[in-house]
């Protein structure tokens, strides 16, 4: 039966709408400012308004794009809009396509027909650069060639992969444009597909499919300043970027001497406001006595104290500002995404691959040992040329370091630095915790044949360069390149993602992780479980790294399909769960583990893992059931079950229980403000019992304790 | 390359190709979508009929001005209307609450509207599209420009919030 509020919501669908009034209002000129802006800005406004996604606007304060005073044009774009030209040609020898962006050309390959009944044989694919072609935001697509384009469709490639994509087109245009990305412009990790339909010169059906991944155009963000303007009397803060107002933060509440303001519309899964690494930070405001800014890594512990400059690129994070005013103090939190000062697009592979460092590249490492790349025969190699003074280099080094630590494919990473930079590079490598060797090049960089730092090569064991990137790399690029280096270009690239979608498949060998590294928000890891060959697999388990295996069977609804799983912040283990001899679900004995890093930027989760060391945990045994019924407060029931603890002062559903009450009846037990235990409670037909649990040693719980007899009612 | 991508059905959904919407169709779109959009924004704003009326009207006004550049006018209208409504509500909060002449909702839905107002904006938007318009999750995602899993997360949260605020009472279907 529906809830009362559900029915009331449904009833709103019958509310009469004042259509005549709305029509009259719509016939008045728009209150928005787009139409009155200069042409260049208007283009930006139109694009952002059209696809700016109201949530991104709300989160960023970019709502000004769609109206409101002082609509900013966003960060300045260096130069003209880049152009992307697709050239489609057909002659007697066949049909071909090439895509040119910014003077660099990527030639596509056409696959075979998938069905004799469907004239859709042409799939754009360039194995050298991966499926998704990097297209600068704002690039204008021009279709060249003696072809007739009738229709263009576009949409979410991930959803298309899942077989559920609604096309978001069509664009009825002879000259389709790339100017309006389907995804928010800041989201550079998502793939968008485009389909061009029409006829070739010979009259045959033209049907081209290709994917794009939006990247920033040549936006020079170096040394841009982030200014925060405080107005304590109205509890507002304005964030300016490069001198342009990007939004006002308000809606705060004043609590005594302290005020905490969140960005209006802030939501963990919205796109964050991009600021560039290296940008200076300044805070201005009336009656301001002092301030400090920090940037917190979403991964947790690391933070930068009292920074006056945005540190290395690290993706979405929180910029925290603590201020002391004349009459109080306050904390402001801005969701920001720290990006590279200068983005790059994929370099044209063919030209640059000829200039790679040879496999025999040799030299002395920063710690004085000889190194020859030839020593790493039969190993995939990631080579990165870098220098100490470049922020994108440091970000890239971090990613490569992380990758070498978590990858099961065993790539060897080697850095290459200039001799003149060796001393500083040595310090940088030490500061960043880089463990892979870094070779001091014999030649200076001018002879390396590269024009940007960092430059990254990924080489297969046979020495073939499978990928090159001039500029910083993200995890998705690394994952794809290393996979191809390890298993060959003919293999299907690993699906990678820096999003929160975890793609897994249960096989006879255990769980196969298709996204080796996922960074998820605490609000949920989205699991896309593909059909596998495993028999008897019942579920896919996600559990915190280091947390003992317990009967954690309810972690998914099955081994196929899509589900969201909420787990506490931290690293998470992924494993297949099968039905064991006892009838209980047990973890597949051959799991393949992936690291899923779950973060909790909102503080949404209450802690539920006991704070005592893991080895000190003792286990509960299941107790006799305690009668309960639907009207009874479950917290009280659990408290009664737990009277063996001496005494808990609070029992509460753990964080993710609150989000998914039907999934995991996990309760945390707190005493004196510290979590001292966690229990899983099974409810069945009016009875509740503890099925398993853990508590800190010395907390009053002894192994084998049956908590029920001590219950006094 | 996945099987799904190679599938002619999946990669080339013919039926979708017939969904042509041109600038000249805004009139048709108004007839079809103005009322549902109004109801959605009404729920989103917690019963602010004045804001809903203005937001929907403004959205169509902007659409008319930019008709040539709109790819998916319906989704665009929803986003703009949400955006305009959001701006207005925020502006009111900054300037000290609702306008004095705001029409009050009827008593039977006043509680619902009050509860909706306490939901975060995205949750409100998702709940409105899902429950008021009865749209499937995928369509809600398309209207808001967010991923389907995200919609489900917000639905879960929204249900939980409304159950907390309004109770779990069930009624006959």
């Amino acid at each position: 039966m529906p809830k009362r509020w559900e029915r009331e919501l449904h009833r709103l669908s019958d509310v009469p709408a004042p259509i005549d009034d709305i029509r009259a209002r719509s016939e008045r000129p728009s209150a928005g400012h787009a139409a009155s802006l200069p042409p260049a800005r208007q283009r930006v406004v139109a694009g952002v308004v059209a696809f700016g996604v109201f949530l991104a606007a709300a989160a960023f304060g970019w709502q000004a794009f769609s109206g409101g005073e002082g609509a900013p044009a966003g960060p300045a774009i260096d130069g003209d809009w880049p152009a992307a030209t697709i050239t489609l040609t057909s002659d007697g020898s066949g049909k071909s396509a090439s895509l040119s962006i910014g003077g660099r050309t990527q030639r596509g390959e056409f696959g075979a027909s998938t069905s004799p009944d469907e004239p859709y044989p042409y799939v754009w694919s360039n194995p050298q650069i991966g499926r998704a072609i990097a297209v600068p935001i704002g690039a204008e697509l021009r279709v060249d060639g003696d072809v007739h384009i009738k229709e263009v469709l576009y949409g979410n490639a991930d959803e298309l992969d899942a077989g559920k994509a609604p096309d978001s087109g069509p664009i009825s245009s002879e000259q389709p444009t790339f100017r309006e990305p389907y995804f928010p412009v800041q989201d550079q990790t998502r793939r968008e597909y485009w389909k061009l339909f029409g006829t070739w010169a010979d009259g045959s059906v033209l049907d081209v499919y290709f994917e794009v991944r939006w990247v920033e155009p040549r936006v020079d963000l170096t040394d841009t300043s982030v200014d925060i303007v405080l107005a304590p009397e109205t509890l507002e803060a304005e964030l300016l970027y490069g001198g342009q107002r990007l939004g006002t933060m308000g809606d705060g509440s004043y609590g005594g001497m302290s005020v905490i303001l969140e960005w209006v519309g802030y939501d963990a899964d919205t796109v964050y406001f991009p600021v560039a690494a290296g940008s200076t930070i300044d805070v201005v405001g009336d009656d301001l006595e002092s301030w400090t800014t920090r940037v917190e890594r979403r991964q947790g512990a690391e933070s930068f104290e009292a920074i006056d400059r945005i540190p290395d690129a690290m993706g979405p994070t929180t910029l925290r500002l603590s201020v002391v005013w004349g009459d109080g103090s306050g904390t402001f939190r801005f969701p920001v995404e720290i990006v590279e000062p200068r983005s790059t697009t994929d370099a044209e592979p063919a030209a640059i691959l000829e200039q790679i460092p040879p496999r025999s590249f040799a030299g002395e490492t920063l710690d004085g040992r000889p190194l020859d790349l030839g020593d790493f025969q039969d190993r995939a190699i990631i080579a990165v040329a870098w220098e100490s003074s470049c922020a994108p280099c440091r970000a890239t080094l971090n990613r490569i370091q992380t990758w070498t630590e978590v990858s099961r494919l065993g790539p060897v990473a080697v850095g290459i630095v200039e001799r003149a930079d060796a001393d500083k590079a040595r310090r940088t490598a030490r500061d960043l915790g880089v463990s892979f060797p870094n070779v001091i090049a014999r030649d200076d960089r001018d002879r390396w044949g590269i024009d940007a730092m960092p430059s990254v090569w990924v080489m297969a064991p046979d020495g073939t360069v499978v990928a090159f990137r001039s500029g910083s790399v993200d995890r998705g690029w690394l994952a794809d390149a290393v996979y191809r280096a390890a298993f060959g270009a003919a293999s299907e690239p690993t699906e990678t993602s820096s999003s929160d979608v975890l793609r897994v498949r249960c096989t006879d060998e255990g769980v196969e992780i298709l996204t080796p590294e996922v960074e998820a928000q605490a609000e949920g890891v989205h699991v896309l479980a593909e059909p596998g060959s495993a028999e008897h697999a019942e579920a896919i388990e996600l559990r915190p790294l280091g947390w003992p295996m317990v009967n954690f069977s309810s972690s998914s609804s099955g081994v196929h399909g899509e589900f969201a799983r909420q787990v506490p912040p931290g690293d998470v283990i992924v494993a297949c769960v099968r039905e064991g001899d006892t009838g209980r679900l047990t973890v597949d004995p051959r799991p393949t583990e992936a690291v899923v890093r779950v973060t909790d930027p909102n503080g949404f989760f209450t802690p539920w893992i006991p704070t005592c060391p893991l080895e000190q945990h003792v286990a509960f045994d299941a107790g006799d059931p305690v009668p309960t019924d639907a009207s009874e407060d479950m917290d009280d029931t659990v408290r009664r079950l737990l009277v063996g603890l001496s005494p808990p002062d609070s029992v509460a559903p753990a964080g993710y229980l609150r989000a998914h009450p039907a999934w995991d009846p996990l309760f945390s037990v707190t005493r004196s403000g510290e979590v001292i235990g966690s229990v899983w409670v099974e409810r069945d037909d009016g009875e509740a019992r503890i099925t398993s649990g853990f508590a800190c040693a010395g907390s009053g719980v002894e192994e084998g304790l049956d908590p029920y007899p001590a219950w006094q009612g | 390359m996945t099987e799904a991508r190679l599938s002619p059905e999946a990669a080339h959904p013919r039926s979708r190709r017939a969904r042509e919407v041109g600038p000249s169709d805004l009139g048709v779109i108004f007839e079809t979508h103005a009322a549902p959009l109004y109801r959605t924004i009404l729920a989103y704003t917690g019963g602010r009929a004045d804001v809903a009326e203005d937001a929907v009207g403004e959205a169509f006004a902007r659409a008319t001005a930019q008709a040539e550049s709109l790819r998916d006018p319906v989704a665009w209208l929803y986003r703009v209307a949400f955006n305009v409504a959001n701006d207005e509500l925020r502006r009111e909060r900054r300037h000290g609450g609702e306008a004095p002449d705001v029409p009050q909702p009827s008593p039977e839905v006043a509680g619902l509207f009050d509860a909706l107002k306490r939901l975060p904006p995205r949750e409100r938007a998702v709940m409105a599209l899902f429950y008021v318009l009865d749209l499937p999750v995928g369509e809600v995602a398309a209207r808001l420009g967010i991923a389907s899993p995200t919609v489900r997360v917000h639905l879960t949260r929204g249900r939980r919030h409304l159950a907390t605020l309004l109770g779990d009472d069930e009624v006959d279907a």
Side-chain angles (χ1 to χ4, degrees), chain A residues 344-368:
Chain A
T344 57
T345 58
D346 284 297
E348 201 281 299
I352 294 187
L353 294 188
E354 297 167 358
Q355 303 169 359
I356 60 169
R359 187 76 177 186
S360 59
F361 190 96
E364 186 180 87
T365 65
L366 287 174
D367 54 3

PDB file of all heavy atoms in Angstrom, chain A residues 344-368:
ATOM      1  N   THR A 344      45.161  19.472 -21.631  1.00  0.00           N
ATOM      2  CA  THR A 344      45.663  19.127 -22.950  1.00  0.00           C
ATOM      3  C   THR A 344      44.735  18.103 -23.576  1.00  0.00           C
ATOM      4  O   THR A 344      44.002  17.420 -22.898  1.00  0.00           O
ATOM      5  CB  THR A 344      47.058  18.506 -22.869  1.00  0.00           C
ATOM      6  OG1 THR A 344      46.977  17.362 -22.024  1.00  0.00           O
ATOM      7  CG2 THR A 344      48.061  19.479 -22.308  1.00  0.00           C
ATOM      8  N   THR A 345      44.791  18.047 -24.824  1.00  0.00           N
ATOM      9  CA  THR A 345      44.024  17.013 -25.514  1.00  0.00           C
ATOM     10  C   THR A 345      44.978  15.899 -25.914  1.00  0.00           C
ATOM     11  O   THR A 345      46.187  16.036 -25.854  1.00  0.00           O
ATOM     12  CB  THR A 345      43.355  17.598 -26.766  1.00  0.00           C
ATOM     13  OG1 THR A 345      44.380  18.137 -27.588  1.00  0.00           O
ATOM     14  CG2 THR A 345      42.376  18.676 -26.397  1.00  0.00           C
ATOM     15  N   ASP A 346      44.388  14.802 -26.310  1.00  0.00           N
ATOM     16  CA  ASP A 346      45.233  13.706 -26.767  1.00  0.00           C
ATOM     17  C   ASP A 346      46.091  14.160 -27.927  1.00  0.00           C
ATOM     18  O   ASP A 346      45.601  14.751 -28.883  1.00  0.00           O
ATOM     19  CB  ASP A 346      44.360  12.534 -27.218  1.00  0.00           C
ATOM     20  CG  ASP A 346      43.814  11.808 -26.028  1.00  0.00           C
ATOM     21  OD1 ASP A 346      44.625  11.273 -25.268  1.00  0.00           O
ATOM     22  OD2 ASP A 346      42.594  11.795 -25.856  1.00  0.00           O
ATOM     23  N   ALA A 347      47.353  13.877 -27.815  1.00  0.00           N
ATOM     24  CA  ALA A 347      48.226  14.230 -28.918  1.00  0.00           C
ATOM     25  C   ALA A 347      47.980  13.279 -30.076  1.00  0.00           C
ATOM     26  O   ALA A 347      47.454  12.198 -29.902  1.00  0.00           O
ATOM     27  CB  ALA A 347      49.669  14.143 -28.465  1.00  0.00           C
ATOM     28  N   GLU A 348      48.361  13.730 -31.227  1.00  0.00           N
ATOM     29  CA  GLU A 348      48.189  12.868 -32.396  1.00  0.00           C
ATOM     30  C   GLU A 348      49.196  11.730 -32.276  1.00  0.00           C
ATOM     31  O   GLU A 348      50.407  11.967 -32.192  1.00  0.00           O
ATOM     32  CB  GLU A 348      48.429  13.694 -33.643  1.00  0.00           C
ATOM     33  CG  GLU A 348      47.813  13.115 -34.885  1.00  0.00           C
ATOM     34  CD  GLU A 348      48.633  11.987 -35.456  1.00  0.00           C
ATOM     35  OE1 GLU A 348      49.783  12.220 -35.818  1.00  0.00           O
ATOM     36  OE2 GLU A 348      48.105  10.870 -35.498  1.00  0.00           O
ATOM     37  N   PRO A 349      48.740  10.511 -32.231  1.00  0.00           N
ATOM     38  CA  PRO A 349      49.652   9.432 -31.871  1.00  0.00           C
ATOM     39  C   PRO A 349      50.775   9.202 -32.876  1.00  0.00           C
ATOM     40  O   PRO A 349      51.930   9.111 -32.499  1.00  0.00           O
ATOM     41  CB  PRO A 349      48.740   8.205 -31.796  1.00  0.00           C
ATOM     42  CG  PRO A 349      47.365   8.756 -31.711  1.00  0.00           C
ATOM     43  CD  PRO A 349      47.383  10.054 -32.424  1.00  0.00           C
ATOM     44  N   ALA A 350      50.430   9.135 -34.139  1.00  0.00           N
ATOM     45  CA  ALA A 350      51.414   8.655 -35.091  1.00  0.00           C
ATOM     46  C   ALA A 350      52.674   9.514 -35.102  1.00  0.00           C
ATOM     47  O   ALA A 350      53.791   9.009 -35.142  1.00  0.00           O
ATOM     48  CB  ALA A 350      50.790   8.598 -36.481  1.00  0.00           C
ATOM     49  N   ALA A 351      52.497  10.811 -35.055  1.00  0.00           N
ATOM     50  CA  ALA A 351      53.649  11.688 -35.163  1.00  0.00           C
ATOM     51  C   ALA A 351      54.546  11.580 -33.942  1.00  0.00           C
ATOM     52  O   ALA A 351      55.766  11.616 -34.047  1.00  0.00           O
ATOM     53  CB  ALA A 351      53.181  13.130 -35.343  1.00  0.00           C
ATOM     54  N   ILE A 352      53.960  11.433 -32.814  1.00  0.00           N
ATOM     55  CA  ILE A 352      54.753  11.491 -31.600  1.00  0.00           C
ATOM     56  C   ILE A 352      55.338  10.132 -31.232  1.00  0.00           C
ATOM     57  O   ILE A 352      56.389  10.048 -30.625  1.00  0.00           O
ATOM     58  CB  ILE A 352      53.903  12.078 -30.470  1.00  0.00           C
ATOM     59  CG1 ILE A 352      53.607  13.529 -30.812  1.00  0.00           C
ATOM     60  CG2 ILE A 352      54.603  11.962 -29.140  1.00  0.00           C
ATOM     61  CD1 ILE A 352      52.934  14.310 -29.769  1.00  0.00           C
ATOM     62  N   LEU A 353      54.669   9.095 -31.621  1.00  0.00           N
ATOM     63  CA  LEU A 353      55.183   7.784 -31.261  1.00  0.00           C
ATOM     64  C   LEU A 353      56.550   7.530 -31.872  1.00  0.00           C
ATOM     65  O   LEU A 353      57.302   6.691 -31.402  1.00  0.00           O
ATOM     66  CB  LEU A 353      54.199   6.690 -31.691  1.00  0.00           C
ATOM     67  CG  LEU A 353      52.871   6.708 -30.956  1.00  0.00           C
ATOM     68  CD1 LEU A 353      52.054   5.476 -31.312  1.00  0.00           C
ATOM     69  CD2 LEU A 353      53.086   6.751 -29.450  1.00  0.00           C
ATOM     70  N   GLU A 354      56.867   8.251 -32.926  1.00  0.00           N
ATOM     71  CA  GLU A 354      58.187   8.073 -33.511  1.00  0.00           C
ATOM     72  C   GLU A 354      59.262   8.702 -32.641  1.00  0.00           C
ATOM     73  O   GLU A 354      60.454   8.472 -32.846  1.00  0.00           O
ATOM     74  CB  GLU A 354      58.225   8.715 -34.905  1.00  0.00           C
ATOM     75  CG  GLU A 354      57.260   8.041 -35.876  1.00  0.00           C
ATOM     76  CD  GLU A 354      57.074   8.866 -37.132  1.00  0.00           C
ATOM     77  OE1 GLU A 354      57.669   9.962 -37.198  1.00  0.00           O
ATOM     78  OE2 GLU A 354      56.344   8.415 -38.020  1.00  0.00           O
ATOM     79  N   GLN A 355      58.867   9.500 -31.702  1.00  0.00           N
ATOM     80  CA  GLN A 355      59.852  10.242 -30.934  1.00  0.00           C
ATOM     81  C   GLN A 355      59.963   9.739 -29.497  1.00  0.00           C
ATOM     82  O   GLN A 355      60.483  10.417 -28.628  1.00  0.00           O
ATOM     83  CB  GLN A 355      59.447  11.722 -30.900  1.00  0.00           C
ATOM     84  CG  GLN A 355      59.297  12.306 -32.284  1.00  0.00           C
ATOM     85  CD  GLN A 355      58.658  13.663 -32.239  1.00  0.00           C
ATOM     86  OE1 GLN A 355      58.306  14.154 -31.175  1.00  0.00           O
ATOM     87  NE2 GLN A 355      58.503  14.283 -33.388  1.00  0.00           N
ATOM     88  N   ILE A 356      59.451   8.584 -29.261  1.00  0.00           N
ATOM     89  CA  ILE A 356      59.464   8.083 -27.897  1.00  0.00           C
ATOM     90  C   ILE A 356      60.872   7.768 -27.445  1.00  0.00           C
ATOM     91  O   ILE A 356      61.753   7.543 -28.252  1.00  0.00           O
ATOM     92  CB  ILE A 356      58.621   6.807 -27.791  1.00  0.00           C
ATOM     93  CG1 ILE A 356      59.215   5.752 -28.735  1.00  0.00           C
ATOM     94  CG2 ILE A 356      57.194   7.079 -28.116  1.00  0.00           C
ATOM     95  CD1 ILE A 356      58.639   4.399 -28.513  1.00  0.00           C
ATOM     96  N   PRO A 357      61.088   7.753 -26.142  1.00  0.00           N
ATOM     97  CA  PRO A 357      62.387   7.303 -25.678  1.00  0.00           C
ATOM     98  C   PRO A 357      62.549   5.838 -26.041  1.00  0.00           C
ATOM     99  O   PRO A 357      61.620   5.045 -25.864  1.00  0.00           O
ATOM    100  CB  PRO A 357      62.312   7.483 -24.161  1.00  0.00           C
ATOM    101  CG  PRO A 357      60.930   7.805 -23.836  1.00  0.00           C
ATOM    102  CD  PRO A 357      60.182   8.128 -25.081  1.00  0.00           C
ATOM    103  N   PRO A 358      63.660   5.465 -26.563  1.00  0.00           N
ATOM    104  CA  PRO A 358      63.819   4.076 -26.974  1.00  0.00           C
ATOM    105  C   PRO A 358      63.790   3.142 -25.782  1.00  0.00           C
ATOM    106  O   PRO A 358      64.029   3.544 -24.649  1.00  0.00           O
ATOM    107  CB  PRO A 358      65.190   4.073 -27.649  1.00  0.00           C
ATOM    108  CG  PRO A 358      65.893   5.244 -27.074  1.00  0.00           C
ATOM    109  CD  PRO A 358      64.855   6.264 -26.796  1.00  0.00           C
ATOM    110  N   ARG A 359      63.477   1.931 -26.102  1.00  0.00           N
ATOM    111  CA  ARG A 359      63.406   0.929 -25.045  1.00  0.00           C
ATOM    112  C   ARG A 359      64.741   0.820 -24.304  1.00  0.00           C
ATOM    113  O   ARG A 359      64.791   0.443 -23.150  1.00  0.00           O
ATOM    114  CB  ARG A 359      63.043  -0.413 -25.686  1.00  0.00           C
ATOM    115  CG  ARG A 359      62.766  -1.525 -24.714  1.00  0.00           C
ATOM    116  CD  ARG A 359      61.409  -1.338 -24.089  1.00  0.00           C
ATOM    117  NE  ARG A 359      61.099  -2.456 -23.200  1.00  0.00           N
ATOM    118  CZ  ARG A 359      59.942  -2.635 -22.605  1.00  0.00           C
ATOM    119  NH1 ARG A 359      58.977  -1.768 -22.791  1.00  0.00           N
ATOM    120  NH2 ARG A 359      59.722  -3.648 -21.817  1.00  0.00           N
ATOM    121  N   SER A 360      65.782   1.137 -24.994  1.00  0.00           N
ATOM    122  CA  SER A 360      67.090   1.009 -24.366  1.00  0.00           C
ATOM    123  C   SER A 360      67.477   2.258 -23.586  1.00  0.00           C
ATOM    124  O   SER A 360      68.619   2.416 -23.195  1.00  0.00           O
ATOM    125  CB  SER A 360      68.138   0.739 -25.440  1.00  0.00           C
ATOM    126  OG  SER A 360      68.150   1.805 -26.370  1.00  0.00           O
ATOM    127  N   PHE A 361      66.537   3.147 -23.408  1.00  0.00           N
ATOM    128  CA  PHE A 361      66.827   4.366 -22.662  1.00  0.00           C
ATOM    129  C   PHE A 361      67.495   4.006 -21.344  1.00  0.00           C
ATOM    130  O   PHE A 361      67.010   3.175 -20.578  1.00  0.00           O
ATOM    131  CB  PHE A 361      65.512   5.099 -22.392  1.00  0.00           C
ATOM    132  CG  PHE A 361      65.701   6.478 -21.847  1.00  0.00           C
ATOM    133  CD1 PHE A 361      65.691   7.577 -22.691  1.00  0.00           C
ATOM    134  CD2 PHE A 361      65.905   6.670 -20.500  1.00  0.00           C
ATOM    135  CE1 PHE A 361      65.857   8.853 -22.188  1.00  0.00           C
ATOM    136  CE2 PHE A 361      66.084   7.939 -19.995  1.00  0.00           C
ATOM    137  CZ  PHE A 361      66.061   9.040 -20.847  1.00  0.00           C
ATOM    138  N   ALA A 362      68.623   4.623 -21.067  1.00  0.00           N
ATOM    139  CA  ALA A 362      69.385   4.245 -19.885  1.00  0.00           C
ATOM    140  C   ALA A 362      69.958   5.484 -19.227  1.00  0.00           C
ATOM    141  O   ALA A 362      70.091   6.540 -19.844  1.00  0.00           O
ATOM    142  CB  ALA A 362      70.508   3.282 -20.249  1.00  0.00           C
ATOM    143  N   GLY A 363      70.267   5.367 -17.974  1.00  0.00           N
ATOM    144  CA  GLY A 363      70.865   6.486 -17.273  1.00  0.00           C
ATOM    145  C   GLY A 363      71.018   6.165 -15.811  1.00  0.00           C
ATOM    146  O   GLY A 363      70.819   5.028 -15.363  1.00  0.00           O
ATOM    147  N   GLU A 364      71.339   7.194 -15.071  1.00  0.00           N
ATOM    148  CA  GLU A 364      71.509   7.037 -13.635  1.00  0.00           C
ATOM    149  C   GLU A 364      70.262   7.552 -12.941  1.00  0.00           C
ATOM    150  O   GLU A 364      69.688   8.566 -13.345  1.00  0.00           O
ATOM    151  CB  GLU A 364      72.730   7.847 -13.186  1.00  0.00           C
ATOM    152  CG  GLU A 364      73.102   7.661 -11.739  1.00  0.00           C
ATOM    153  CD  GLU A 364      74.323   8.500 -11.404  1.00  0.00           C
ATOM    154  OE1 GLU A 364      74.138   9.682 -11.052  1.00  0.00           O
ATOM    155  OE2 GLU A 364      75.443   7.990 -11.507  1.00  0.00           O
ATOM    156  N   THR A 365      69.832   6.852 -11.921  1.00  0.00           N
ATOM    157  CA  THR A 365      68.612   7.279 -11.259  1.00  0.00           C
ATOM    158  C   THR A 365      68.924   8.377 -10.247  1.00  0.00           C
ATOM    159  O   THR A 365      70.079   8.661  -9.942  1.00  0.00           O
ATOM    160  CB  THR A 365      67.937   6.107 -10.528  1.00  0.00           C
ATOM    161  OG1 THR A 365      68.791   5.674  -9.481  1.00  0.00           O
ATOM    162  CG2 THR A 365      67.658   4.969 -11.484  1.00  0.00           C
ATOM    163  N   LEU A 366      67.874   8.964  -9.721  1.00  0.00           N
ATOM    164  CA  LEU A 366      68.046  10.060  -8.755  1.00  0.00           C
ATOM    165  C   LEU A 366      68.776   9.595  -7.498  1.00  0.00           C
ATOM    166  O   LEU A 366      69.388  10.401  -6.808  1.00  0.00           O
ATOM    167  CB  LEU A 366      66.665  10.619  -8.366  1.00  0.00           C
ATOM    168  CG  LEU A 366      65.966  11.460  -9.437  1.00  0.00           C
ATOM    169  CD1 LEU A 366      64.560  11.831  -8.974  1.00  0.00           C
ATOM    170  CD2 LEU A 366      66.763  12.713  -9.765  1.00  0.00           C
ATOM    171  N   ASP A 367      68.670   8.325  -7.188  1.00  0.00           N
ATOM    172  CA  ASP A 367      69.414   7.842  -6.030  1.00  0.00           C
ATOM    173  C   ASP A 367      70.724   7.168  -6.428  1.00  0.00           C
ATOM    174  O   ASP A 367      71.307   6.403  -5.653  1.00  0.00           O
ATOM    175  CB  ASP A 367      68.556   6.910  -5.162  1.00  0.00           C
ATOM    176  CG  ASP A 367      67.960   5.771  -5.968  1.00  0.00           C
ATOM    177  OD1 ASP A 367      68.259   5.687  -7.185  1.00  0.00           O
ATOM    178  OD2 ASP A 367      67.209   4.972  -5.399  1.00  0.00           O
ATOM    179  N   GLY A 368      71.184   7.479  -7.632  1.00  0.00           N
ATOM    180  CA  GLY A 368      72.550   7.124  -7.991  1.00  0.00           C
ATOM    181  C   GLY A 368      72.763   5.734  -8.537  1.00  0.00           C
ATOM    182  O   GLY A 368      73.903   5.295  -8.690  1.00  0.00           O
TER     183      GLY A 368
END
